[in-house]
Amino acid sequence: MKKFNLVTLATKNIRRKKFRTGILVFSISLIVSVLVFGLSFIINVSSGIERASARLGADLIVVPVGARSYAEEVLLESKSKSFYMNKNIINRVKKIEGVDVITFHTYLTTIQGVCCDVPEATVVAFNQESDFIIMPWLEKAIGRKLEKNEAIVGHESFLNIGLGLMDAMLFGTRFKIMGALDKTGTGLDNAIFTSDENVEEILQKGRSQLKPDEISIIFVKVKEGYDPYIVGRIIEGDIIEADVVTRSDIGKDITGALGDINMIFSITVFMASILSVLLAWAIFSATVNERLREVGVMLALGAKESHVAKLFFIEVFFIGLMGSVCGVVFGTALSLLLAKSFTILKNLPGGLNAVDRAVIGAAGFVIGTGICILGAFSPVQRIKKLEPLAVIKGELA
Amino acid sequence: MHIVLSDVTKSYFIGKDRFDAVRNVSLEIDSREFISIVGHSGSGKTTLLSIIGGIARPTSGTVLYEGKDIYSLDKDRLSEYRCEKTGFIFQFASLLPNLTSEENVLLPVLFKTGNRAIAAAEKKAAELLHMAGVGDKLNAYPSQLSGGQQRRVAIARAFINDPEVVLADEPTGDLDEATEAEIMRFFKRMNEEAGTTFIMVTHNSGLARDTGRQLKMDNGSISVVQGI
């Protein structure tokens, strides 16, 4: 004979009412898939921002007044934006107490057919002597500095634009593309990098909006023991043409909006969960009422209250498990399929790693199974306490 | 084994009206006895059997099993009494519909010892089903059995844990005369050879006469006692 225990008995019971079980599994899987999809979206965005800002390696970012959001769009969302401030700000920042090292970038936007032979992208002119943002990746990619009229492309540019081994015309100058950087996990993965030695020639050819002595952004590392927030406030106070973003504030607008979305999403999931609990309660109340006589017989044959409770909760657990597994699979598939449909996710670097997915899956599993157990709790508690003869006769209090 | 019922009453309330299903019943049952209980419908036979079987708590009075009031036991100990000391044969179809005959018979073993002893009890279950005349229906589900066959499976189930007392509520109600006689011979044999005590509710006065002691119930009370 096959195995015979409470688990086999429970699985046989589940199979008895396929349609009813199906409805409950479906409703659990729906709520879990919404939860998994929503969590995936929110965690994906917030961890992407966190990861990108951490990988930049700067404590502070100094940008022209009013260009804070443009800078975030370039650094986090890979968007092409041009914003400029005077180069003399570099020296003024250097003099601020607490500033340790600085470097700067100049961002140029390509327009295919007008100045360049590549689609719209950001060209980053960086200072190879002082740079601590790009240089570590460059060292890894080609093991040396870029020469004049040489460029290297970001990981995503290499994949998306197809740049990598051919030459490219940028702002009227032909650049030799030396290869591609590894994935940095920042918005700069979509950029094309070249030394700031080339800026003068670009200016001379007049194919860019850039004016002489302009830069886009200054990255600052503060000395040990100094609070980046306070140093940033001093810079803003001393240099009125500049705005300062601390590392922890990068993407704050996005995460703020995300918080609101998160709240709406949480309320929706909470209300849907209550509905699912009520559905589970109604279904298990009906199931328990239908099986009153069976439970009475089991009690009369010597089943303990714990046997009855175990039997029902195993059924509940399996239904919750089936719903949760379906929900996690469906929600994950949905989040992967639709990931590129959301502008913010399309441009934001990174993505969910296995641990993130496991945590989200576990949350979906706990919620899905919890809904079932919560819904079944009251009907099961009611029946297990009844006198066997009363249950057999259906004389429920 | 000795069962003593003292002044047992079981009352139900229908609205504010009280109805005594069993009224002030006192009774002593000795080991190896074969007792039948007869009476009209609603006279309290099934309720009295259920009280002895530990499945209906009396409103007042005590039921002593080997000197201990079974209703003073905690819930788990009372379940163990039902599982290990008694075997109950219900008046109605009492098989679990999603279990095979064999699994239905093994159900009390699952409750007694968990799944550890199931494999060891399989042979016994098959023997009991064979003795009850449904040995070829081991893997049949209740829906594939006639009412009489279902009753036989329920009878086999009552004996799986070697109970000291079998409480049978109209055990041969669905059976033809020949099968009824066969089942009664099986009961007698178990009573005489294994020493199992039988308390059997029946409408059949012929069957009742064939038992050691006949109790007649009327309006919840034992009105007539015949036999030893």
Side-chain angles (χ1 to χ4, degrees):
Chain A
M1 199 188 76
K2 290 177 201 165
K3 256 184 155 180
F4 178 57
N5 51 38
L6 285 178
V7 175
T8 54
L9 188 51
T11 50
K12 283 187 170 203
N13 284 337
I14 289 171
R15 283 202 292 264
R16 261 161 89 182
K17 296 280 180 187
K18 289 191 180 84
F19 183 69
R20 192 183 290 177
T21 303
I23 285 177
L24 197 53
V25 167
F26 182 66
S27 76
I28 299 291
S29 68
L30 268 185
I31 186 76
V32 171
S33 61
V34 169
L35 181 86
V36 167
F37 175 71
L39 279 178
S40 300
F41 176 81
I42 286 166
I43 293 175
N44 204 349
V45 173
S46 51
S47 66
I49 289 170
E50 207 177 294
R51 212 174 297 145
S53 56
R55 284 186 187 176
L56 285 173
D59 297 317
L60 300 170
I61 295 166
V62 182
V63 294
V65 167
R68 175 194 288 230
S69 60
Y70 291 164
E72 287 185 351
E73 284 176 15
V74 172
L75 298 173
L76 299 178
E77 299 180 54
S78 305
K79 288 184 179 170
S80 285
K81 297 281 173 189
S82 303
F83 48 93
Y84 303 111
M85 58 188 174
N86 197 287
K87 210 171 183 175
N88 68 22
I89 293 175
I90 296 172
N91 287 329
R92 289 159 70 190
V93 171
K94 271 183 188 168
K95 287 177 188 162
I96 304 287
E97 194 189 343
V99 171
D100 188 8
V101 288
I102 68 164
T103 188
F104 56 93
H105 286 177
T106 307
Y107 298 145
L108 302 146
T109 304
T110 64
I111 302 169
Q112 192 169 22
V114 176
C115 66
C116 314
D117 59 6
V118 296
E120 186 179 289
T122 301
V123 173
V124 177
F126 66 104
N127 182 277
Q128 297 192 86
E129 302 308 317
S130 63
D131 187 84
F132 52 85
I133 308 286
I134 312 298
M135 283 311 284
W137 302 90
L138 187 67
E139 297 278 343
K140 200 175 162 195
I142 60 172
R144 64 168 175 85
K145 289 179 181 174
L146 289 170
E147 302 288 332
K148 197 157 188 298
N149 295 339
E150 281 184 352
I152 191 160
V153 297
H155 186 263
E156 299 299 322
S157 293
F158 168 64
L159 295 176
N160 298 337
I161 309 175
L163 281 174
L165 296 169
M166 66 194 105
D167 291 352
M169 182 68 79
L170 302 171
F171 309 102
T173 303
R174 184 150 294 279
F175 279 83
K176 187 174 169 55
I177 305 295
M178 301 307 295
L181 298 179
D182 278 349
K183 196 174 173 66
T184 64
T186 70
L188 297 176
D189 281 337
N190 281 289
I192 303 163
F193 303 91
T194 187
S195 162
D196 62 351
E197 294 169 81
N198 298 299
V199 169
E200 200 176 321
E201 192 177 335
I202 289 170
L203 283 166
Q204 280 169 4
K205 298 208 169 160
R207 297 285 187 92
S208 139
Q209 301 170 311
L210 185 68
K211 291 182 185 125
D213 292 327
E214 278 188 336
I215 56 161
S216 297
I217 195 164
I218 301 168
F219 295 95
V220 178
K221 278 188 183 179
V222 301
K223 286 178 183 161
E224 213 173 308
Y226 283 83
D227 182 347
Y229 180 80
I230 292 169
V231 176
R233 296 291 74 82
I234 295 169
I235 294 172
E236 274 188 337
D238 284 8
I239 309 167
I240 54 165
E241 307 97 296
D243 274 348
V244 177
V245 188
T246 55
R247 182 192 289 184
S248 57
D249 283 348
I250 294 175
K252 210 171 184 179
D253 291 344
I254 300 172
T255 47
L258 208 64
D260 295 339
I261 295 170
N262 194 12
M263 188 176 284
I264 295 167
F265 161 74
S266 302
I267 292 169
T268 310
V269 168
F270 179 71
M271 287 168 83
S273 299
I274 289 178
L275 270 179
S276 298
V277 169
L278 290 175
L279 180 69
W281 174 81
I283 286 179
F284 280 107
S285 290
T287 304
V288 159
N289 285 340
E290 269 175 16
R291 281 160 51 187
L292 276 183
R293 181 173 277 196
E294 280 174 39
V295 173
V297 168
M298 287 195 290
L299 290 170
L301 294 177
K304 293 176 181 170
E305 283 181 6
S306 57
H307 287 124
V308 176
K310 252 187 221 168
L311 179 63
F312 274 97
F313 280 124
I314 291 169
E315 290 178 34
V316 168
F317 178 78
F318 278 144
I319 290 171
L321 185 68
M322 283 191 279
S324 301
V325 168
C326 291
V328 168
V329 169
F330 187 64
T332 306
L334 206 63
S335 74
L336 290 171
L337 279 174
L338 297 181
K340 296 297 171 192
S341 308
F342 293 95
T343 314
I344 194 167
L345 286 179
K346 191 159 48 182
N347 295 322
L348 205 61
L352 294 177
N353 57 32
V355 175
D356 290 335
R357 292 229 176 264
V359 169
I360 293 168
F365 169 75
V366 168
I367 298 279
T369 316
I371 284 170
C372 259
I373 290 174
L374 213 62
F377 192 76
S378 155
V380 174
Q381 287 300 315
R382 185 168 60 103
I383 197 168
K384 72 172 195 178
K385 287 182 177 164
L386 292 167
E387 187 175 69
L389 187 63
V391 181
I392 289 166
K393 287 184 171 179
E395 295 162 353
L396 286 175
Chain B
M1 195 281 305
H2 189 62
I3 299 171
V4 181
L5 280 74
S6 303
D7 212 13
V8 168
T9 295
K10 175 76 176 174
S11 306
Y12 294 101
F13 288 89
I14 302 164
K16 285 181 179 175
D17 299 327
R18 177 180 154 146
F19 164 69
D20 291 337
V22 171
R23 187 182 298 152
N24 302 324
V25 169
S26 292
L27 179 68
E28 283 195 35
I29 301 159
D30 285 324
S31 184
R32 294 171 173 262
E33 264 203 277
F34 201 133
I35 296 174
S36 58
I37 305 173
V38 294
H40 297 296
S41 293
S43 59
K45 308 182 295 290
T46 297
T47 306
L48 180 64
L49 203 67
S50 300
I51 290 170
I52 298 169
I55 64 171
R57 188 174 289 275
T59 310
S60 62
T62 55
V63 180
L64 304 182
Y65 180 87
E66 291 176 342
K68 195 163 227 172
D69 183 3
I70 60 169
Y71 290 102
S72 69
L73 299 171
D74 66 36
K75 285 178 179 176
D76 280 356
R77 299 293 88 71
L78 184 57
S79 295
E80 283 166 12
Y81 163 79
R82 291 196 286 255
C83 192
E84 294 167 21
K85 307 294 181 189
T86 72
F88 215 107
I89 302 165
F90 297 93
Q91 190 179 6
F92 56 88
S94 63
L95 302 184
L96 267 62
N98 52 332
L99 299 185
T100 62
S101 301
E102 188 184 29
E103 288 168 341
N104 263 293
V105 172
L106 288 169
L107 201 56
V109 180
L110 184 66
F111 297 142
K112 184 181 176 183
T113 53
N115 53 335
R116 293 185 308 277
I118 291 291
E122 278 178 41
K123 193 178 165 197
K124 187 176 176 187
E127 279 172 11
L128 284 167
L129 284 166
H130 179 73
M131 283 160 76
V134 280
D136 57 338
K137 302 288 180 188
L138 239 68
N139 295 313
Y141 286 91
S143 59
Q144 298 165 321
L145 301 173
S146 68
Q149 287 171 325
Q150 288 185 38
R151 181 56 62 100
R152 289 161 185 250
V153 175
I155 288 168
R157 181 178 64 188
F159 290 92
I160 190 73
N161 277 343
D162 297 321
E164 291 180 9
V165 191
V166 167
L167 303 145
D169 194 356
E170 301 277 3
T172 57
D174 298 331
L175 305 178
D176 58 65
E177 279 183 24
T179 312
E180 184 180 77
E182 192 188 325
I183 293 295
M184 282 307 290
R185 274 199 297 278
F186 173 62
F187 282 3
K188 285 269 186 192
R189 201 171 82 221
M190 293 301 287
N191 176 241
E192 285 159 13
E193 292 175 10
T196 310
T197 303
F198 281 80
I199 306 169
M200 182 175 74
V201 165
T202 181
H203 275 106
N204 188 328
S205 51
L207 283 184
R209 274 196 295 276
D210 210 21
T211 62
R213 183 155 56 131
Q214 303 98 51
L215 311 178
K216 188 177 180 203
M217 285 198 75
D218 194 17
N219 269 336
S221 302
I222 294 175
S223 57
V224 180
V225 180
Q226 289 177 330
I228 303 162

